[in-house]
Amino acid sequence: MTISRRHYHITTFGCQMNKADSERMAGILEDMGFEWSEDPNQADVILYNTCTIRDNAEQKVYSYLGRQAKRKHEQPDLTLVVAGCVAQQEGEALLRRVPELDLVMGPQHANRLKDLLQQVFDGNQIVATEPIHIIEDITKPRRDSKVTAWVNVIYGCNERCTYCVVPSVRGVEQSRTPEAIRAEIEELGRQGYKEITLLGQNIDAYGRDLPGVTPEGRHQHTFTDLLYYVHDVPGVERIRFATSHPRYFTERLIRACAELPKVCEHFHIPFQSGDNEVLKRMARGYTHEKYRRIIDTIRGYMPDAAISADAIVGFPTETEAQFENTLKLVEDIGFDQLNTAAYSPRPGTPAAVWENQLSEEVKSDRLQRLNHLVAIKAAERSQRYMGRLEEVLVEDQNPKDKTQVMGRTRTNRLTFFNGDINELKGKLVKVKITEVRAFSLTGEPVEVREMASV
Ligand code: SAH
Ligand code: SF4
Ligand code: F3S
């Protein structure tokens, strides 16, 4: 008799933290003998790794869940798991809303998936949302890419931005030790990964919770120290990081990025608003003048650096004039990319219960006007690549044109060129840029760089 293998499916919503958590949870499931199924309807275990940053992200989860909950009535041995930020926010309330669920688990419990599932297979319905110390990641993630990889450096967030659910769903800041981070990157280097992105909701906070102070009274482990500590790992050619908070961004960090050849010239530093009064109400802890100084300093050291950010329009009480200050900041700085969102009131956050919430019409009008400007500025920024030689790390085939491969420049611009993915995957190729668009480039390959094997 042949026993067919059991299958799992994961759908991931939300940010890079969730994607990294999903890769680790997939690793755990494979370790338990499950096989990946692209189609959720063929899976025995379905896991939704959820996001609650805005209301529409949360609602999407409920519609997916509704469909699978129905299926469970025909297939009672189906295991339904909700992980991530909606799970943490709703906890037991989620079980009341969807009684078919077997497991509700917050992001801090991702590494405990095997344990939790075993309790489910023993016949229990489980909610795991209590705050815990995140156990060091000893699992082998099942990574989506063979070329680029995420490495968590700090979990959680201790900020209290008045619009944001992240601190309540991700918990307090917990830094991994420099040794554990370096060991993971070394393993990635040995496996042939060429690019790593160091991850944290507020990566500048790295190390504040680790013991040790220098003779000058500085924390011994800052994010800048971490960059120096990991930058020479053999095999890894590029290092990126996200997300930076303007309140803590230092010149020392900027200098390190300029000095360390593998650290890419791309900075993701959300500003949220270009108006000081709004920034104060958001409790962001900086002014637009300080933000501009940071960008000036970056450009002083690295004139060609790419700058991206996040911004929110229609924060409660935001006036037309205050919104125009955001437009002005975008106009002046010229972002390479900007993630924009209309303010969405979130449960348990201070701003959600303030009076003077703006209408959906005003919010969507401002969002459209901002997006229009963002596209114009990004197209202007793209112009500088025309005719230039750019180093592109090849990640994949272009899904829309199989004769092309795609990858990113050091500054994170998506770039396409003719080539065979089997030959070029994971290679650094000098590409002459022949076509520019707002958010991507096309070019001709000139030279493939030889890389030492590790
Ligand atoms: N830690 C990062 C971002 C985390 S959330 C930082 O501090 O910048 C990602 C982005 O979602 C935020 O930068 C913000 O622009 C947006 N966001 C967060 N809460 C939101 C809300 N309630 N409504 C709309 N956008 C929001
Ligand atoms: Fe949210 Fe602010 Fe923390 Fe970013 S820094 S995750 S916006 S609370
Ligand atoms: Fe969403 Fe949670 Fe990330 S709310 S943006 S998945 S931290």
Side-chain angles (χ1 to χ4, degrees):
M1 193 178 88
T2 55
I3 299 171
S4 65
R5 297 276 295 231
R6 298 189 27 99
H7 287 81
Y8 75 97
H9 173 88
I10 299 182
T11 296
T12 307
F13 305 88
C15 65
Q16 292 165 323
M17 322 283 148
N18 258 16
K19 290 180 185 144
D21 289 348
S22 285
E23 291 187 346
R24 288 205 311 281
M25 291 191 284
I28 294 173
L29 285 159
E30 301 212 340
D31 195 47
M32 292 173 77
F34 285 92
E35 248 173 74
W36 167 254
S37 161
E38 185 65 37
D39 178 2
N41 296 318
Q42 302 295 320
D44 308 284
V45 172
I46 299 178
L47 187 153
Y48 291 114
N49 197 9
T50 60
C51 173
T52 181
I53 199 77
R54 287 179 283 275
D55 188 57
N56 53 7
E58 186 181 345
Q59 296 315 321
K60 219 191 285 173
V61 174
Y62 292 123
S63 82
Y64 277 60
L65 265 182
R67 259 172 273 155
Q68 293 305 333
K70 261 198 213 119
R71 212 183 114 209
K72 186 150 177 172
H73 294 279
E74 286 124 50
Q75 191 191 326
D77 64 345
L78 176 68
T79 302
L80 275 182
V81 183
V82 179
C85 296
V86 175
Q88 186 65 40
Q89 178 183 281
E90 297 299 315
E92 290 199 8
L94 205 53
L95 286 190
R96 285 195 291 277
R97 185 164 175 168
V98 189
E100 292 85 353
L101 288 179
D102 296 287
L103 171 58
V104 174
M105 54 187 286
Q108 292 188 340
H109 294 261
N111 296 351
R112 297 186 55 221
L113 179 62
K114 182 174 182 180
D115 239 26
L116 297 170
L117 273 180
Q118 261 151 6
Q119 296 177 46
V120 168
F121 297 149
D122 288 343
N124 303 300
Q125 198 179 28
I126 306 282
V127 178
T129 51
E130 70 283 4
I132 57 163
H133 176 72
I134 295 173
I135 38 175
E136 186 45 53
D137 177 22
I138 44 160
T139 54
K140 289 249 172 309
R142 174 195 185 269
R143 302 188 191 259
D144 279 346
S145 164
K146 295 270 169 278
V147 181
T148 64
W150 287 305
V151 175
N152 289 99
V153 307
I154 178 169
Y155 302 101
C157 178
N158 287 5
E159 295 297 307
R160 286 290 173 271
C161 304
T162 51
Y163 50 82
C164 184
V165 288
V166 170
S168 70
V169 292
R170 288 265 159 186
V172 294
E173 289 166 0
Q174 297 187 40
S175 302
R176 294 176 69 198
T177 65
E179 293 75 21
I181 295 166
R182 184 169 169 118
E184 182 173 353
I185 300 173
E186 283 176 351
E187 180 61 23
L188 289 167
R190 280 192 291 272
Q191 291 171 0
Y193 285 88
K194 295 292 179 287
E195 178 180 300
I196 55 152
T197 302
L198 305 173
L199 282 187
Q201 277 296 0
N202 174 9
I203 206 158
D204 311 81
Y206 176 77
R208 284 200 291 219
D209 57 318
L210 294 175
V213 174
T214 64
E216 305 85 57
R218 184 164 64 71
H219 283 285
Q220 203 152 26
H221 306 288
T222 64
F223 181 62
T224 308
D225 298 317
L226 182 70
L227 279 182
Y228 282 106
Y229 183 66
V230 302
H231 88 280
D232 63 345
V233 169
V236 172
E237 299 284 340
R238 287 178 168 188
I239 300 174
R240 302 184 186 279
F241 58 90
T243 298
S244 306
H245 194 304
R247 180 189 271 170
Y248 306 104
F249 210 83
T250 62
E251 184 159 356
R252 189 164 166 264
L253 173 59
I254 298 172
R255 231 181 300 128
C257 296
E259 220 173 271
L260 297 171
K262 293 181 185 177
V263 178
C264 293
E265 300 74 27
H266 169 227
F267 297 87
H268 183 69
I269 318 177
F271 62 87
Q272 312 301 0
S273 166
D275 183 83
N276 287 349
E277 192 51 44
V278 175
L279 285 170
K280 203 185 261 168
R281 292 178 66 89
M282 290 175 161
R284 291 287 290 177
Y286 54 87
T287 58
H288 79 89
E289 289 90 351
K290 165 148 185 195
Y291 188 83
R292 287 167 194 263
R293 278 198 300 275
I294 293 170
I295 307 304
D296 285 348
T297 311
I298 292 173
R299 287 179 170 161
Y301 281 91
M302 291 159 274
D304 194 50
I307 313 286
S308 63
D310 303 344
I312 298 175
V313 302
F315 189 68
T317 74
E318 183 188 71
T319 63
E320 172 64 22
Q322 289 171 334
F323 167 65
E324 282 169 16
N325 283 335
T326 293
L327 290 179
K328 182 151 176 15
L329 186 73
V330 172
E331 176 71 47
D332 292 347
I333 294 210
F335 289 94
D336 294 86
Q337 187 129 25
L338 185 68
N339 307 320
T340 59
Y343 170 72
S344 167
R346 305 308 295 132
T349 59
V353 291
W354 290 348
E355 283 170 21
N356 302 320
Q357 301 281 329
L358 304 191
S359 69
E360 291 308 317
E361 290 71 39
V362 170
K363 288 195 248 182
S364 91
D365 170 66
R366 288 182 188 169
L367 187 60
Q368 271 177 34
R369 284 154 67 200
L370 179 58
N371 286 344
H372 182 68
L373 179 63
V374 167
I376 292 173
K377 300 309 281 188
E380 276 173 32
R381 290 286 290 165
S382 274
Q383 284 302 325
R384 72 192 199 281
Y385 293 104
M386 194 64 193
R388 256 170 46 173
L389 271 185
E390 284 291 318
E391 187 189 83
V392 175
L393 173 62
V394 178
E395 292 176 28
D396 250 314
Q397 201 167 47
N398 176 358
K400 293 195 188 130
D401 179 350
K402 302 269 188 281
T403 66
Q404 289 189 332
V405 296
M406 63 184 193
R408 287 173 188 275
T409 64
R410 285 177 63 95
T411 51
N412 211 35
R413 266 284 189 273
L414 190 60
T415 306
F416 304 99
F417 63 91
N418 286 333
D420 177 356
I421 190 62
N422 298 318
E423 252 166 62
L424 293 174
K425 193 163 194 152
K427 295 272 164 49
L428 286 163
V429 183
K430 280 257 180 302
V431 178
K432 189 175 163 74
I433 305 300
T434 53
E435 249 179 76
V436 302
R437 292 166 298 274
F439 300 106
S440 63
L441 312 169
T442 301
E444 287 157 9
V446 174
E447 189 193 343
V448 179
R449 200 176 104 190
E450 288 306 320
M451 284 181 281
S453 57
V454 181

